Amino acid sequence: MVLEILMYATLREYEGIKDPVEALQPLREGLLAAMQALPGFIAYYFVDVGEAGDRMISLSVFASSEAAEASNQIAAQWVERWIAEHPTTAPTASRVDAGPVVASAFA
């Protein structure tokens, strides 16, 4: 059986986020617009999963693997800029996973 590829997604895990509200400012100031500008953009989610408030994940979804790969470069540049501008509160991307989406459901 061959799996049908529906879209492509990247899951990034960020650690060391001391203030989730502060994390949203640079996100809104550029990262979201850059992601949305990529061809085949479908969705982007930034989720606070840290019980102690120091861990978040992002999920970006695209129609093509090329756009998903480009989103990884954009996210890496965003983290580098955040580190330069906010060295004491910047996150570290502790894990990045990417691959084809082979099943999905929507409301």
Short mmCIF file of all heavy atoms in Angstrom, two decimals, residues 46-72:
data_model
loop_
_atom_site.label_atom_id
_atom_site.label_comp_id
_atom_site.label_asym_id
_atom_site.label_seq_id
_atom_site.Cartn_x
_atom_site.Cartn_y
_atom_site.Cartn_z
N PHE A 46 1.21 28.01 17.32
CA PHE A 46 2.23 28.16 18.35
C PHE A 46 1.54 27.82 19.66
O PHE A 46 0.60 28.49 20.07
CB PHE A 46 2.75 29.60 18.34
CG PHE A 46 4.07 29.80 19.05
CD1 PHE A 46 5.16 29.02 18.77
CD2 PHE A 46 4.21 30.82 19.98
CE1 PHE A 46 6.39 29.22 19.42
CE2 PHE A 46 5.41 31.05 20.62
CZ PHE A 46 6.50 30.24 20.34
N VAL A 47 1.98 26.76 20.31
CA VAL A 47 1.25 26.18 21.43
C VAL A 47 2.10 26.19 22.70
O VAL A 47 3.25 25.73 22.68
CB VAL A 47 0.84 24.71 21.10
CG1 VAL A 47 0.01 24.12 22.22
CG2 VAL A 47 0.11 24.65 19.77
N ASP A 48 1.53 26.69 23.78
CA ASP A 48 2.20 26.68 25.08
C ASP A 48 1.94 25.32 25.73
O ASP A 48 0.84 25.02 26.16
CB ASP A 48 1.64 27.79 25.96
CG ASP A 48 2.36 27.93 27.28
OD1 ASP A 48 3.25 27.11 27.58
OD2 ASP A 48 2.04 28.88 28.01
N VAL A 49 2.96 24.47 25.78
CA VAL A 49 2.81 23.12 26.34
C VAL A 49 3.61 22.93 27.63
O VAL A 49 3.60 21.85 28.20
CB VAL A 49 3.24 22.03 25.32
CG1 VAL A 49 2.32 22.02 24.13
CG2 VAL A 49 4.68 22.19 24.89
N GLY A 50 4.28 23.99 28.07
CA GLY A 50 5.12 23.86 29.26
C GLY A 50 4.34 24.13 30.53
O GLY A 50 3.80 25.21 30.71
N GLU A 51 4.29 23.14 31.38
CA GLU A 51 3.61 23.33 32.66
C GLU A 51 4.26 24.44 33.48
O GLU A 51 3.58 25.17 34.18
CB GLU A 51 3.60 22.03 33.45
CG GLU A 51 2.72 20.97 32.84
CD GLU A 51 2.75 19.68 33.62
OE1 GLU A 51 3.10 19.69 34.81
OE2 GLU A 51 2.41 18.65 33.02
N ALA A 52 5.57 24.57 33.37
CA ALA A 52 6.27 25.62 34.09
C ALA A 52 6.40 26.87 33.24
O ALA A 52 7.04 27.83 33.65
CB ALA A 52 7.65 25.12 34.52
N GLY A 53 5.83 26.87 32.05
CA GLY A 53 5.86 28.04 31.19
C GLY A 53 7.13 28.21 30.39
O GLY A 53 7.39 29.28 29.89
N ASP A 54 7.92 27.16 30.25
CA ASP A 54 9.19 27.34 29.54
C ASP A 54 9.30 26.51 28.27
O ASP A 54 10.36 26.42 27.68
CB ASP A 54 10.36 27.02 30.46
CG ASP A 54 10.43 25.55 30.86
OD1 ASP A 54 9.45 24.82 30.62
OD2 ASP A 54 11.46 25.14 31.40
N ARG A 55 8.21 25.91 27.81
CA ARG A 55 8.28 25.06 26.63
C ARG A 55 7.07 25.34 25.74
O ARG A 55 5.94 25.38 26.20
CB ARG A 55 8.28 23.60 27.06
CG ARG A 55 8.72 22.66 25.98
CD ARG A 55 9.00 21.27 26.58
NE ARG A 55 8.48 20.29 25.65
CZ ARG A 55 7.34 19.64 25.78
NH1 ARG A 55 6.59 19.80 26.83
NH2 ARG A 55 6.94 18.80 24.86
N MET A 56 7.36 25.54 24.45
CA MET A 56 6.30 25.76 23.48
C MET A 56 6.64 24.96 22.23
O MET A 56 7.80 24.62 22.00
CB MET A 56 6.15 27.24 23.16
CG MET A 56 5.77 28.06 24.38
SD MET A 56 5.51 29.80 24.04
CE MET A 56 3.78 29.78 23.59
N ILE A 57 5.62 24.66 21.44
CA ILE A 57 5.84 23.99 20.16
C ILE A 57 5.15 24.80 19.07
O ILE A 57 4.20 25.54 19.32
CB ILE A 57 5.31 22.54 20.15
CG1 ILE A 57 3.82 22.48 20.45
CG2 ILE A 57 6.11 21.66 21.09
CD1 ILE A 57 3.20 21.12 20.21
N SER A 58 5.67 24.67 17.87
CA SER A 58 5.00 25.26 16.72
C SER A 58 4.77 24.16 15.70
O SER A 58 5.53 23.20 15.61
CB SER A 58 5.83 26.40 16.12
OG SER A 58 6.98 25.90 15.48
N LEU A 59 3.70 24.33 14.97
CA LEU A 59 3.36 23.42 13.89
C LEU A 59 3.04 24.27 12.68
O LEU A 59 2.16 25.13 12.73
CB LEU A 59 2.15 22.55 14.26
CG LEU A 59 1.63 21.65 13.13
CD1 LEU A 59 2.65 20.57 12.79
CD2 LEU A 59 0.29 21.03 13.52
N SER A 60 3.80 24.07 11.61
CA SER A 60 3.50 24.77 10.36
C SER A 60 3.15 23.73 9.30
O SER A 60 3.76 22.66 9.25
CB SER A 60 4.68 25.65 9.93
OG SER A 60 5.88 24.92 9.90
N VAL A 61 2.16 24.05 8.50
CA VAL A 61 1.64 23.12 7.51
C VAL A 61 1.62 23.80 6.14
O VAL A 61 1.14 24.93 6.01
CB VAL A 61 0.22 22.64 7.89
CG1 VAL A 61 -0.27 21.59 6.91
CG2 VAL A 61 0.19 22.11 9.32
N PHE A 62 2.14 23.08 5.14
CA PHE A 62 2.24 23.62 3.79
C PHE A 62 1.83 22.59 2.76
O PHE A 62 1.84 21.39 3.02
CB PHE A 62 3.69 24.06 3.51
CG PHE A 62 4.12 25.21 4.35
CD1 PHE A 62 4.71 25.01 5.58
CD2 PHE A 62 3.90 26.51 3.93
CE1 PHE A 62 5.09 26.07 6.38
CE2 PHE A 62 4.26 27.58 4.72
CZ PHE A 62 4.87 27.36 5.94
N ALA A 63 1.52 23.05 1.58
CA ALA A 63 1.12 22.17 0.48
C ALA A 63 2.30 21.43 -0.14
O ALA A 63 2.12 20.38 -0.74
CB ALA A 63 0.37 22.96 -0.59
N SER A 64 3.51 21.98 0.01
CA SER A 64 4.67 21.36 -0.63
C SER A 64 5.82 21.18 0.36
O SER A 64 5.93 21.92 1.34
CB SER A 64 5.16 22.21 -1.81
OG SER A 64 5.78 23.39 -1.33
N SER A 65 6.67 20.23 0.06
CA SER A 65 7.84 20.01 0.91
C SER A 65 8.82 21.18 0.80
O SER A 65 9.49 21.52 1.78
CB SER A 65 8.53 18.70 0.55
OG SER A 65 8.99 18.72 -0.78
N GLU A 66 8.87 21.82 -0.36
CA GLU A 66 9.77 22.96 -0.55
C GLU A 66 9.39 24.11 0.37
O GLU A 66 10.25 24.75 0.99
CB GLU A 66 9.76 23.43 -2.01
CG GLU A 66 10.33 22.43 -2.99
CD GLU A 66 9.34 21.34 -3.41
OE1 GLU A 66 8.14 21.44 -3.12
OE2 GLU A 66 9.81 20.35 -4.01
N ALA A 67 8.10 24.39 0.48
CA ALA A 67 7.65 25.47 1.36
C ALA A 67 7.89 25.10 2.82
O ALA A 67 8.28 25.95 3.62
CB ALA A 67 6.18 25.78 1.11
N ALA A 68 7.67 23.86 3.17
CA ALA A 68 7.92 23.41 4.54
C ALA A 68 9.40 23.58 4.89
O ALA A 68 9.74 24.03 5.99
CB ALA A 68 7.48 21.97 4.73
N GLU A 69 10.28 23.23 3.95
CA GLU A 69 11.72 23.41 4.18
C GLU A 69 12.07 24.88 4.30
O GLU A 69 12.88 25.27 5.15
CB GLU A 69 12.50 22.75 3.06
CG GLU A 69 12.45 21.24 3.09
CD GLU A 69 13.11 20.59 1.88
OE1 GLU A 69 13.93 21.26 1.20
OE2 GLU A 69 12.80 19.42 1.61
N ALA A 70 11.47 25.73 3.47
CA ALA A 70 11.71 27.17 3.55
C ALA A 70 11.25 27.72 4.90
O ALA A 70 11.89 28.61 5.46
CB ALA A 70 11.01 27.89 2.40
N SER A 71 10.16 27.18 5.42
CA SER A 71 9.66 27.65 6.73
C SER A 71 10.67 27.34 7.82
O SER A 71 10.79 28.10 8.78
CB SER A 71 8.30 27.02 7.05
OG SER A 71 8.43 25.69 7.51
N ASN A 72 11.41 26.26 7.69
CA ASN A 72 12.44 25.93 8.69
C ASN A 72 13.55 26.97 8.68
O ASN A 72 14.08 27.34 9.73
CB ASN A 72 13.00 24.54 8.45
CG ASN A 72 11.99 23.46 8.77
OD1 ASN A 72 11.10 23.65 9.58
ND2 ASN A 72 12.11 22.33 8.10
#
